[in-house]
Amino acid sequence: MFYIILFINIFILKIAYPANNIELNFKTFKNREFKLNKDISPCEDFYDYVCSNENNNFKLPQNKHNYVYSHEDSNKEINNDRKNYINLILNRKNNSPKSEMIKNYYNSCINEDARKLEEFEWIEKYKNQILKSNKNELLNKISIDALNGDLYLYNIEESLSSENNKIKDIFFTYELPLKYKSIYSKNEAMIEYINMIKLFFKSMNIKNYASMANYVFEFEKSIANIYPNEIILNDIFMKDEKISRDVVVRKFPYIHFKNILSKIPSEIKILIIPENVFIHLNLQLQKATREELQSLILWYKLSKGEIKYSFPDFYFQKENFKNKYFKNSNMDKSNEEQCYLSTIKAFERNLDYELFYSYNKEIPYEKIYNLISEIKNVFKKNIQNNLWLSTSAKNHAINKINFMRFEIAKPNNIKDWGLEPVLNLKPKKYLNNKKTILQNDFKLMIYQINQETNSSKWPFSPLHTSAFYTSNLNKFFIPYGVLKSHIFDDKLSEKLDYYLLTLTIAHEMSHAFDGNGIEFDAFGNINSWLSENEKLYFNKEVEKMIQLFNAENNDGKLTLDENIADFLGLKISYQTHFPETKKINSNEKRKFFIQYAKNWCGLESEDKLLKEIKKHFLLKLRVHNQMMLSEDFEETFSCQLNQPMTLKSDERLVLW
């Protein structure tokens, strides 16, 4: 009865209380036409053959560096549903405690007068506290703030232990403030960045604002110079080198880790990543004067936070910088829209728990599990027929597939949703509410760190729009958000619908056998099961893929694991739908490859500087190179060897 009433309430809400900023008429992925461009040969440019007509009718949003329809459309659709549900809560008198918490948070965000007053008071109080503190008090302040979940100089995260996924480790990690190492070598960006830091300190009425800004800038650049690239960083994580508590305290005395470690159970293992950065950070904190430490804390603590009303000139410049170099500014969003998104971020699971049951589509569990079984059988058959694997490696690989677990649509139990607890939030205290949530999240992490891992708990909400495989559980999740966009399309035949779902499942399964996946065994622990000779063969084959994907801004090594999963996912999906024993119309095969390309249709920024800073997949490359690697594509579309969508046989890969 509860689910029926909830569905009726949301249906009424969509009619009676449409929010001003909810996009009721946006295009969903399933409503896009994707008319094939018959003026282009699929063997010459398959991406444009499938995507160009749709792309020509779409404009890239100002705050996006790329827009992939299959993902972004689904996100918009689900976020609109979430916004509608927030409106239901706002207009309802008898809310549950959880809903009242969400209502108070949103109201505190939308109340601009209260936010202005709170911002000014809070910033002035914090600034005065920092400016009165001595050096030791400042160093201590950084770690005490971290214990309250306020992580502005480094991060503290938990992760399943690679040695035993029943327990967890604690990671101290450092992330560059501008995220991308390459931006620190761009002169134009750095000139704008240092001017932005100067404006921040000047807005705070700091007399020596220029020297404080220069110190912060040089401090940050010195770390960027030694910061590892993404490939090396991933290797560091894979090495999983634990460090004892005594060594942590002795090696990094000026970071005051002892304050934090005193709250973490003694049996929990510690990792410091990247260690060379923390060594440098410790040295910089040791050498820093009192004024320099004040500069660091004020900048990293306050500039990342809520300065929208207190420092409007700085806020505008910061958002402009983010938009220019990262395409993630909030400038184009109204306050109402920002508050919706802030509320969704804070209480996504609670919102989605109730929202999930408002959807009236029956989930075809049996068909999905049958499809998974078919894909697994194809994968295992390929491994059995493999010519470069030993019998031992084949057994390990097949065992990994047999033990692979799947979570479909949603968690089976309410405890596995990871719902946010009820907190006492105030309708006119936005900053205080955010602080309360941060403190609670950190305390909850510390409380749960020494409890046995709940391997059934979802790492994200079931309305997430991407599937996800985790090596340290040998498990993958197909959220309802993926099913909603993949198989609930009334315009498509069931077969066409399931082509895309098969590609998604096979792609995620293939991550168990990519460059990272081969280091984990069937039970999710680090335990490499390939011989040295087999690894040499694997690396030699994937080197062909690295070279193929080393184009324009794309880094073939950085994107290798996703490219392997695309390659294997495409091959196994094709074999699942078109077994050699069956005679199938070639038109159906063409539809299969078209579905693959549709999944990557979208627009990307042409900004050269942005491409250099934000290295990411080129959508066209992600389609074209996989078609080139596929003999099945070549045969299906009768492509000739000299055409762009083909490769010579010795340039193709032979993997699993």
Side-chain angles (χ1 to χ4, degrees):
M1 180 62 72
F2 166 76
Y3 301 144
I4 295 172
I5 293 171
L6 186 60
F7 177 73
I8 292 170
N9 280 342
I10 291 181
F11 179 76
I12 293 171
L13 167 75
K14 288 180 179 180
I15 298 173
Y17 302 107
N20 293 338
N21 284 285
I22 294 178
E23 298 179 66
L24 297 176
N25 298 314
F26 73 92
K27 255 189 177 179
T28 62
F29 182 60
K30 62 185 70 174
N31 289 329
R32 293 187 182 274
E33 294 182 3
F34 292 106
K35 290 181 179 177
L36 299 177
N37 190 335
K38 298 298 178 65
D39 294 331
I40 298 173
S41 164
C43 297
E44 295 290 327
D45 191 326
F46 191 62
Y47 182 84
D48 280 352
Y49 171 72
V50 177
C51 303
S52 60
N53 280 329
E54 191 66 43
N55 287 351
N56 289 338
N57 292 317
F58 185 77
K59 185 179 179 181
L60 186 68
Q62 186 181 355
N63 67 333
K64 296 282 186 183
H65 66 88
N66 67 8
Y67 190 103
V68 184
Y69 307 127
S70 60
H71 180 70
E72 298 289 350
D73 290 350
S74 300
N75 269 340
K76 274 191 173 184
E77 185 177 10
I78 286 172
N79 267 349
N80 278 349
D81 292 342
R82 287 166 173 158
K83 293 171 191 176
N84 279 320
Y85 193 77
I86 291 170
N87 278 338
L88 170 64
I89 291 171
L90 295 175
N91 289 283
R92 193 169 59 190
K93 292 182 179 179
N94 299 315
N95 283 315
S96 67
K98 283 182 186 281
S99 293
E100 196 65 19
M101 172 180 67
I102 293 170
K103 180 178 182 177
N104 285 344
Y105 182 88
Y106 179 87
N107 282 335
S108 72
C109 179
I110 205 70
N111 190 328
E112 295 192 55
D113 290 337
R115 281 180 64 177
K116 287 176 188 176
L117 181 62
E118 187 185 18
E119 224 180 86
F120 278 113
E121 289 177 349
W122 180 80
I123 288 175
E124 194 63 24
K125 181 180 178 181
Y126 192 86
K127 183 181 80 170
N128 290 336
Q129 181 187 6
I130 296 302
L131 294 180
K132 289 178 183 177
S133 299
N134 61 38
K135 179 171 178 176
N136 191 60
E137 289 171 337
L138 291 168
L139 291 172
N140 205 48
K141 175 68 174 167
I142 295 170
S143 61
I144 295 300
D145 281 350
L147 274 175
N148 288 316
D150 205 352
L151 301 160
Y152 48 81
L153 199 57
Y154 50 79
N155 297 320
I156 306 173
E157 305 167 54
E158 64 174 7
S159 178
L160 296 180
S161 171
S162 58
E163 299 166 351
N164 177 5
N165 57 24
K166 300 293 183 187
I167 60 175
K168 299 174 186 173
D169 297 329
I170 281 284
F171 288 74
F172 291 95
T173 63
Y174 184 93
E175 183 179 52
L176 291 170
L178 295 181
K179 192 174 180 181
Y180 300 99
K181 180 181 173 77
S182 57
I183 192 173
Y184 290 93
S185 62
K186 307 300 176 187
N187 289 335
E188 179 188 347
M190 290 300 96
I191 290 170
E192 291 183 41
Y193 190 47
I194 193 169
N195 286 336
M196 187 170 74
I197 302 173
K198 286 178 181 176
L199 178 60
F200 170 79
F201 286 115
K202 189 176 182 180
S203 300
M204 293 188 70
N205 295 318
I206 303 285
K207 289 182 181 179
N208 49 342
Y209 71 88
S211 64
M212 292 184 93
N214 285 328
Y215 174 75
V216 169
F217 179 73
E218 293 302 327
F219 169 87
E220 201 167 305
K221 278 206 76 173
S222 71
I223 294 180
N225 288 336
I226 65 167
Y227 199 81
N229 63 36
E230 291 182 61
I231 296 167
I232 295 173
L233 194 59
N234 184 61
D235 290 341
I236 293 171
F237 272 98
M238 286 299 296
K239 285 179 183 175
D240 198 40
E241 294 177 346
K242 311 291 195 304
I243 183 169
S244 73
R245 287 160 182 264
D246 290 342
V247 172
V248 170
V249 173
R250 189 172 67 250
K251 205 168 188 177
F252 309 104
Y254 293 92
I255 303 180
H256 285 212
F257 279 137
K258 61 181 182 292
N259 290 334
I260 301 165
L261 293 176
S262 67
K263 303 294 183 182
I264 298 172
S266 58
E267 61 270 24
I268 301 302
K269 303 288 180 64
I270 308 298
L271 291 96
I272 306 288
I273 297 177
E275 188 173 340
N276 70 316
V277 169
F278 277 93
I279 290 171
H280 182 79
L281 175 61
N282 183 73
L283 181 61
Q284 293 301 308
L285 294 179
Q286 179 186 4
K287 290 163 47 181
T289 65
R290 172 174 173 262
E291 180 186 282
E292 289 168 343
L293 282 178
Q294 290 168 341
S295 307
L296 290 179
I297 294 175
L298 290 174
W299 169 251
Y300 289 121
K301 165 70 176 176
L302 299 182
S303 71
K304 289 182 178 181
E306 301 296 328
I307 38 71
K308 184 175 181 180
Y309 303 109
S310 45
F311 305 148
D313 291 343
F314 169 73
Y315 175 80
F316 178 80
Q317 192 166 335
K318 183 177 87 163
E319 292 300 308
N320 201 38
F321 183 87
K322 285 164 61 179
N323 185 59
K324 181 174 180 179
Y325 295 107
F326 305 106
K327 293 293 182 185
N328 63 353
S329 167
N330 286 320
M331 281 197 302
D332 66 327
K333 297 183 178 73
S334 67
N335 190 43
E336 185 181 27
E337 175 71 8
Q338 289 182 42
C339 289
Y340 277 129
L341 295 177
S342 180
T343 305
I344 291 167
K345 182 179 179 181
F347 305 108
E348 182 180 63
R349 294 176 189 247
N350 280 343
L351 281 168
D352 292 355
Y353 178 72
E354 297 193 14
L355 185 56
F356 175 84
Y357 294 104
S358 72
Y359 296 123
N360 61 346
K361 288 284 188 182
E362 185 177 344
I363 300 166
Y365 284 107
E366 185 177 353
K367 288 183 179 180
I368 295 171
Y369 278 112
N370 286 340
L371 185 60
I372 289 171
S373 181
E374 289 179 40
I375 296 169
K376 288 173 77 172
N377 287 336
V378 170
F379 217 136
K380 287 190 287 186
K381 184 179 178 182
N382 286 354
I383 289 170
Q384 287 166 343
N385 294 333
N386 185 288
L387 298 177
W388 61 274
L389 286 173
S390 65
T391 301
S392 172
K394 286 181 181 181
N395 289 337
H396 273 93
I398 290 171
N399 200 38
K400 193 166 186 181
I401 293 170
N402 287 335
F403 274 88
M404 194 176 287
R405 292 177 294 160
F406 306 86
E407 296 272 357
I408 311 295
K410 67 175 182 65
N412 293 320
N413 302 300
I414 189 170
K415 65 181 178 65
D416 301 331
W417 278 74
L419 299 177
E420 297 89 7
V422 176
L423 300 172
N424 183 23
L425 302 185
K426 309 296 184 185
K428 293 185 178 181
K429 292 289 181 181
Y430 181 61
L431 291 182
N432 191 66
N433 289 341
K434 293 189 78 171
K435 183 178 178 181
T436 299
I437 292 169
L438 281 175
Q439 289 176 337
N440 181 76
D441 287 347
F442 191 81
K443 286 178 182 176
L444 193 61
M445 182 183 79
I446 297 301
Y447 171 74
Q448 294 177 341
I449 192 72
N450 65 342
Q451 298 181 7
E452 185 169 319
T453 303
N454 175 10
S455 61
S456 297
K457 181 182 174 182
W458 278 47
F460 42 65
S461 161
L463 295 190
H464 200 68
T465 56
S466 297
F468 179 79
Y469 173 81
T470 172
S471 297
N472 52 13
L473 287 174
N474 191 25
K475 180 179 186 179
F476 84 77
F477 301 81
I478 310 175
Y480 181 84
V482 170
L483 300 178
K484 189 174 187 292
S485 61
H486 278 20
I487 66 170
F488 296 149
D489 190 343
D490 297 332
K491 293 196 310 179
L492 295 178
S493 67
E494 185 177 280
K495 184 174 284 189
L496 266 181
D497 245 352
Y498 276 80
Y499 284 166
L500 205 50
L501 182 61
T502 308
L503 284 161
T504 299
I505 295 170
H507 173 100
E508 297 305 329
M509 282 183 66
S510 297
H511 276 304
F513 301 95
D514 64 21
N516 177 67
I518 59 175
E519 300 298 329
F520 290 81
D521 63 21
F523 307 104
N525 298 313
I526 287 186
N527 180 18
S528 185
W529 40 271
L530 290 180
S531 69
E532 288 305 312
N533 283 338
E534 287 164 336
K535 281 188 178 181
L536 282 173
Y537 175 88
F538 179 86
N539 291 331
K540 182 181 175 183
E541 286 298 294
V542 299
E543 183 62 31
K544 298 177 186 176
M545 182 172 277
I546 291 171
Q547 295 306 318
L548 184 63
F549 278 86
N550 273 339
E552 296 183 45
N553 182 54
N554 194 69
D555 186 324
K557 194 168 184 181
L558 187 63
T559 59
L560 177 61
D561 286 348
E562 284 301 317
N563 295 332
I564 290 173
D566 281 347
F567 170 71
L568 292 174
L570 183 67
K571 177 183 176 182
I572 291 162
S573 301
Y574 182 90
Q575 292 172 318
T576 301
H577 286 288
F578 311 117
E580 293 179 354
T581 54
K582 285 187 182 179
K583 184 167 179 144
I584 297 167
N585 188 302
S586 60
N587 188 49
E588 201 60 43
K589 294 180 180 180
R590 285 194 287 270
K591 289 179 181 178
F592 168 82
F593 286 108
I594 288 167
Q595 284 297 89
Y596 173 85
K598 279 171 61 176
N599 202 41
W600 298 113
C601 288
L603 293 182
E604 297 175 287
S605 172
E606 293 301 316
D607 187 292
K608 185 179 178 182
L609 184 60
L610 182 67
K611 284 184 176 182
E612 289 175 359
I613 292 167
K614 288 191 79 152
K615 290 185 178 292
H616 61 269
F617 284 106
L618 299 173
L619 298 177
K620 182 175 278 196
L621 203 67
R622 196 160 189 176
V623 172
H624 280 183
N625 285 3
Q626 296 302 342
M627 299 305 104
M628 293 163 68
L629 289 166
S630 172
E631 291 179 296
D632 298 314
F633 173 82
E634 182 181 304
E635 181 184 334
T636 297
F637 286 92
S638 302
C639 298
Q640 302 303 307
L641 186 58
N642 61 343
Q643 291 184 291
M645 295 294 98
T646 62
L647 282 176
K648 295 176 182 177
S649 295
D650 61 354
E651 294 176 324
R652 290 190 168 122
L653 278 69
V654 179
L655 283 179
W656 308 97

